[in-house]
Amino acid sequence: MAYTAVHSDSAKARLLPADQSQRGADMRLPRVAYPMTIRLRLTLWYTALLGATLILFSFVFFTALAANLRMQTQQDAARQAGEVANALSQQLQGDILIIRNNPTRIQFPDLEFFTSSVGVQIIDLNGMILKRSSNLGPMSVHNYSDALDDIRNGQNHRFYTTNETGTPLLVYSVPVVANNTILGAVQVIKPVGGVQDTLSQISRYLILGTALSLIVAAIVGAFLARRALIPIDTITNTASAISRTKDLSRRLNIAADSSEVGRLAATFNEMLDRIQQLFKTQQRLIADVSHELRTPLTTVQGNIELLRRAAAAGATHADLASPLVQESLNEVESETVRMGAMINDLLLLAQADSGALQFQMGPVELDTVLLDVFRQTRRIAERAKGPGALDIRLGSEDQALVYGDAERLRQLLLNLADNAVKYTPAGGAITFSLENAGDWVRVSVADTGIGISKENQQHIFDRFYRADKARSREMGGSGLGLSIVLSIAQAHNAKITVDSEPQRGSVFTVSLPSLTAAQQKGPRPSASGVSSGS
């Protein structure tokens, strides 16, 4: 095991295992994590993509240019070698022995390229140099005899080599033919250093241009990413301000556009609208529940106090049976029943909002349900208004099948009927009707009661809303019945219309998809499920 010396302030050293020493060092040097922002990621991605594109373009461009320059150089060398070989072939047509016995008599043709740096030499099939152009001077050409195998076969040959000073050379060899006999070869020696220098300079330009382009692209990319993400910063700052100040009225002031950020801002504002509405609804619900429970609790508390005083005064059994005590007990019972009903209604609405409310869906004979509600409404009216005080009627009653929960639909119709009983004075009438209308089944509850104004019709389905709060409380209403009606209707893809005028009665119509339309996924109601009649 390896050990490491650890020194203390007392100048004494002690040995620790190396792995423990390393773990101690790791604990003393915490790693710092730098966040990778979206702006930086966009800039890096943009720069990397542009860099890859430029590098690929530079590589393809450089490769194509190098191949083109080399091919052009080789073509020029082949043309020049061919001109010299043709001229020599014409000289040797009469006497082919000149090239063997007296090669000094061979004359180079008068060609323009001899004035340049291009040199020419003539070799025989044994590799002996017979003649060289004067511009070659003492320069030697390495490995020039490597071309002889191709020359003997009548083929051209090329290769690259260097001279003593390291200058790159292209050696292009062409056979010399006279009287159908290969006598030797003409070799054109062409310096290609200029081509190499040109390619090197171009490669430097490409590297420098790519580097400068990447720097400019990174700067421009960072600027564009910053401008593109300004709305995101605005959304973040707005959300942070809302979290700090709890002010849900703030909105994003971003110019409307069809970009992704514009749609995000619009969606964010819509979400804020909904959150604000829900928050206001929650505040109103808490206030309404508190207000609704305060009255019955006050009544219960007052009656209990009355009974306690009576008990403290030594009331006898006969005194406890007095009408005043019985009235107090009846009020306590009535208020507790009312509070229990309110709590049950609130629980049902909470389940509906959370999606936990269970529906036993299936085919329902709505005419049978309506007949049961009609009979039950007659009993409710007798208890509330007295026998014969209201005329409960059945209007048109078609046979109709719908897809839904029979008990919930019965509850919906009972709430509408109970509402009609409460707001219809003695001597009035309540009429139930059921009719088929194509893909819809319409069931209506009409009364001749006090009616609802146009202003109140938009709010009657809100929780705890009452057009006449005092009268509704006297009648025992909690303001939740129509909210439950709306929740059940929406769960059945139904829509509700209200046709009412003050002092002229009201007609609540519930339109449900017929069983056939529901099975065929027929028409769907509007999003709100509620509309007002004329």
Side-chain angles (χ1 to χ4, degrees):
M1 176 183 295
Y3 288 84
T4 303
V6 179
H7 296 273
S8 63
D9 294 338
S10 61
K12 293 181 180 180
R14 57 191 178 93
L15 296 180
L16 289 178
D19 57 347
Q20 294 185 12
S21 177
Q22 181 63 34
R23 285 197 299 268
D26 292 340
M27 295 177 63
R28 292 191 298 271
L29 298 174
R31 296 180 180 179
V32 179
Y34 296 96
M36 181 73 73
T37 63
I38 297 178
R39 183 180 305 163
L40 180 58
R41 291 178 184 178
L42 288 176
T43 303
L44 292 178
W45 275 107
Y46 176 77
T47 306
L49 180 61
L50 181 61
T53 303
L54 289 177
I55 292 174
L56 179 62
F57 169 78
S58 300
F59 174 77
V60 173
F61 175 78
F62 182 82
T63 302
L65 179 63
N68 183 270
L69 289 177
R70 290 191 180 96
M71 183 179 298
Q72 185 176 357
T73 302
Q74 293 171 8
Q75 289 176 349
D76 290 343
R79 177 181 56 80
Q80 294 164 354
E83 291 177 356
V84 176
N86 290 334
L88 292 178
S89 297
Q90 293 177 3
Q91 294 182 31
L92 298 175
Q93 288 293 339
D95 187 3
I96 61 175
L97 296 179
I98 294 177
I99 197 170
R100 299 177 181 174
N101 300 329
N102 193 6
T104 57
R105 294 176 53 191
I106 299 175
Q107 299 294 325
F108 285 120
D110 187 12
L111 299 175
E112 294 180 358
F113 62 80
F114 284 111
T115 61
S116 64
S117 59
V118 177
V120 178
Q121 68 181 13
I122 302 173
I123 62 174
D124 60 13
L125 296 179
N126 296 320
M128 182 180 296
I129 299 176
L130 303 179
K131 189 168 185 176
R132 309 181 73 198
S133 60
S134 59
N135 57 354
L136 286 178
M139 180 183 67
S140 62
V141 180
H142 302 296
N143 303 321
Y144 69 89
S145 60
D146 292 345
L148 290 177
D149 291 338
D150 288 338
I151 295 300
R152 294 188 184 98
N153 294 325
Q155 298 176 354
N156 298 341
H157 182 84
R158 68 174 183 274
F159 67 94
Y160 289 90
T161 185
T162 57
N163 59 11
E164 296 86 350
T165 60
T167 301
L169 302 173
L170 168 63
V171 180
Y172 201 97
S173 304
V174 176
V176 177
V177 181
N179 298 330
N180 296 324
T181 302
I182 298 176
L183 303 177
V186 173
Q187 291 185 326
V188 171
I189 298 92
K190 190 177 183 68
V192 292
V195 175
Q196 299 294 338
D197 294 341
T198 300
L199 292 177
S200 299
Q201 188 174 8
I202 290 176
S203 66
R204 288 193 295 271
Y205 288 157
L206 289 176
I207 293 173
L208 180 62
T210 300
L212 292 177
S213 298
L214 290 179
I215 294 174
V216 173
I219 296 174
V220 174
F223 175 74
L224 293 178
R226 180 178 179 275
R227 285 185 59 86
L229 293 176
I230 286 178
I232 305 298
D233 291 336
T234 304
I235 294 174
T236 303
N237 294 333
T238 302
S240 178
I242 292 174
S243 177
R244 290 194 313 270
T245 63
K246 299 181 180 180
D247 182 11
L248 291 174
S249 63
R250 298 174 65 101
R251 294 295 181 271
L252 294 175
N253 296 321
I254 297 177
D257 57 41
S258 58
S259 66
E260 292 81 356
V261 176
R263 293 198 299 272
L264 174 62
T267 303
F268 187 78
N269 284 336
E270 292 175 1
M271 182 189 67
L272 289 178
D273 291 337
R274 182 166 178 80
I275 292 175
Q276 184 180 20
Q277 182 63 32
L278 290 175
F279 187 71
K280 289 181 178 179
T281 302
Q282 182 186 28
Q283 288 181 323
R284 188 175 66 248
L285 177 63
I286 294 174
D288 290 340
V289 169
S290 301
H291 181 74
E292 292 295 331
L293 291 178
R294 183 175 58 184
T295 300
L297 287 175
T298 302
T299 302
V300 172
Q301 185 177 5
N303 285 285
I304 291 175
E305 183 65 24
L306 178 62
L307 293 174
R308 182 181 292 113
R309 283 201 299 259
T316 63
H317 181 74
D319 294 332
L320 294 177
S322 65
L324 180 60
V325 174
Q326 291 300 321
E327 182 180 355
S328 298
L329 292 176
N330 290 337
E331 287 183 0
V332 171
E333 181 183 9
S334 175
E335 294 301 335
T336 53
V337 169
R338 178 183 169 193
M339 286 189 292
M342 183 188 303
I343 293 173
N344 289 333
D345 290 343
L346 286 172
L347 178 60
L348 187 146
L349 289 172
Q351 291 175 339
D353 290 342
S354 64
L357 186 60
Q358 299 296 323
F359 289 86
Q360 303 297 326
M361 306 297 282
V364 177
E365 294 180 355
L366 196 57
D367 52 320
T368 302
V369 174
L370 183 63
L371 185 59
D372 292 342
V373 172
F374 166 75
R375 294 169 180 167
Q376 192 168 352
T377 303
R378 295 179 66 178
R379 294 191 293 270
I380 293 174
E382 288 180 359
R383 289 195 302 268
K385 301 295 175 91
L390 296 178
D391 183 12
I392 312 299
R393 306 172 183 171
L394 268 179
S396 60
E397 187 185 6
D398 296 342
Q399 291 184 344
L401 285 175
V402 298
Y403 185 75
D405 186 326
E407 290 302 320
R408 295 302 180 188
L409 291 175
R410 180 179 286 105
Q411 184 179 11
L412 181 152
L413 295 175
L414 277 175
N415 282 6
L416 292 177
D418 182 68
N419 194 68
V421 170
K422 289 177 182 177
Y423 295 101
T424 302
I430 300 175
T431 305
F432 295 91
S433 300
L434 176 65
E435 62 178 350
N436 291 303
D439 290 333
W440 296 94
V441 175
R442 294 194 177 97
V443 56
S444 61
V445 179
D447 62 65
T448 58
I450 62 176
I452 308 170
S453 66
K454 295 294 183 183
E455 295 77 13
N456 291 327
Q457 288 181 25
Q458 301 298 324
H459 304 285
I460 58 176
F461 291 95
D462 295 344
R463 297 171 188 183
F464 294 106
Y465 182 82
R466 298 185 182 93
D468 189 343
K469 300 185 184 301
R471 179 180 297 181
S472 299
R473 192 170 289 110
E474 291 175 358
M475 295 176 180
S478 63
L480 296 174
L482 293 182
S483 298
I484 294 174
V485 167
L486 178 60
S487 297
I488 295 175
Q490 290 175 339
H492 287 79
N493 293 322
K495 57 184 179 180
I496 304 176
T497 59
V498 182
D499 186 5
S500 179
E501 292 183 9
Q503 308 306 321
R504 308 187 79 176
S506 304
V507 179
F508 286 80
T509 303
V510 181
S511 299
L512 297 104
S514 65
L515 179 62
T516 304
Q519 291 175 343
Q520 296 176 354
K521 296 183 179 180
R524 288 290 181 262
S526 60
S528 65
V530 179
S531 62
S532 297
S534 56

